[in-house]
Amino acid sequence: PEPKSKGKDEKAEKKSKKKAKEEPEESEEEEEDKTEKKKRKDKDGKSEKKDKKSSKDKDSKDKKGGKDEKPSRRDAEPPKLIPRTLGGDSRLKATYEARAATDSQAKVPPVVVAFTMSNISEFALTPVSLNLTSSMMARVTAPAPDMASLRAGDEAKMRAELSVGAANKPLKIKCNLKYEATGDGAPAAPVSLTCELLLPCSAFIMPRELPAEEFNQLLSNDLPHKNSAVVEAAGRPFKQTVALLAKLLNLALIQGQEGAASLYGVSVLGHHIAVLAKAKGGSMVSVDMRSSDEALGKELCNEVSALPLFIAQ
């Protein structure tokens, strides 16, 4: 019995040794698998972070107005019209914009003139005053108030109202601009500048909305006088050119579509103005005007021809 038990023990010992020998090899393989999986996980994690960062940077660029999100010229707002120059010198510059009042209850709505006074000197100007001289055709109903002080480099606005007796020709109003400069090296005496305020016929026009049917009826029966002009669009979309025409002439848009638009307005004295604008080849826009007064239509067409001079660059 003893030899038999001894043989069994030897077999068990051999089996145990064999198992112990195999286990480390299996453990090493598992360790390699774990290491490889960890590397892949780290690599995938970095790639995911990189993608997130790239996406975040792109979103940030879009929010800041990156090149991909930059609005096209077609979507941009139309350029502004520059104000007219009244006068001035090396210390003071005066400009203005004139439009007929659209909220007045007066029988003849006044023309509102908004002046901008710019101090382009190193002196303080105190005070600044603008006097307008009434005439038979243009009576000052609300004078421009004096400006108590205008510091160096500043600008301020003042406003005046006039009642006009004619709307079919430009009107000229004599003005006197006065100021006194203060500071080292400033002129000892007050400065007086004589200038002239020119009111174009567009300043007498009020935009008026009108149903398309009534507009077409006016064209057919009540507006016998025809005038025309051509405008260089200078690469601007047709819609922008129409917006510039409406702002220049103080007209309301009646109908607008790709390549064609209609505009309408009434003067402070009751004249009717209708405009048909059409896109032509070579970046040109034709402006056909119908009016109840021939002279008024002609003057407004002259303003249309001069439109490029008043577009801010």
Side-chain angles (χ1 to χ4, degrees), residues 72-82 230-248 257-260 277-287 303-313:
S72 64
R73 189 173 184 181
R74 182 172 293 275
D75 298 328
E77 293 183 1
K80 296 181 179 180
L81 297 178
I82 60 176
V230 177
V231 177
E232 170 62 51
R236 284 183 295 274
F238 176 74
K239 188 176 180 181
Q240 286 192 8
T241 302
V242 171
L244 286 169
L245 285 170
K247 190 170 184 180
L248 175 74
Q257 56 188 9
E258 191 64 30
K278 293 182 181 180
K280 299 292 183 182
S283 190
M284 305 298 288
V285 175
S286 66
V287 179
E303 291 188 45
V304 171
S305 298
L307 174 61
L309 300 177
F310 294 97
I311 298 176
Q313 300 299 323

Side-chain angles (χ1 to χ4, degrees), residues 9-24:
D9 292 340
E10 288 177 355
K11 286 182 179 181
E13 186 178 352
K14 287 181 180 180
K15 190 174 181 180
S16 177
K17 287 181 179 181
K18 184 177 180 182
K19 187 177 180 181
K21 190 176 180 181
E22 291 175 354
E23 280 179 0

Side-chain angles (χ1 to χ4, degrees), residues 183-197:
D184 294 338
V191 177
S192 179
L193 303 170
T194 300
C195 45
E196 190 173 66
L197 172 66

Side-chain angles (χ1 to χ4, degrees), residues 210-273:
L210 197 69
E213 292 181 1
E214 291 186 29
F215 179 81
N216 293 331
Q217 187 176 357
L218 272 174
L219 287 178
S220 302
N221 304 319
D222 302 326
L223 304 178
H225 304 291
K226 301 178 182 180
N227 299 91
S228 61
V230 177
V231 177
E232 170 62 51
R236 284 183 295 274
F238 176 74
K239 188 176 180 181
Q240 286 192 8
T241 302
V242 171
L244 286 169
L245 285 170
K247 190 170 184 180
L248 175 74
L249 301 177
N250 298 319
L251 300 175
L253 179 66
I254 303 302
Q255 286 182 313
Q257 56 188 9
E258 191 64 30
S262 55
L263 306 160
Y264 177 68
V266 179
S267 81
V268 293
L269 297 178
H271 304 106
H272 298 274
I273 297 294

Side-chain angles (χ1 to χ4, degrees), residues 288-309:
D288 294 321
M289 191 171 296
R290 301 282 188 88
S291 64
S292 58
D293 185 276
E294 186 176 10
L296 177 59
K298 184 178 179 180
E299 289 294 340
L300 292 176
C301 271
N302 289 339
E303 291 188 45
V304 171
S305 298
L307 174 61
L309 300 177

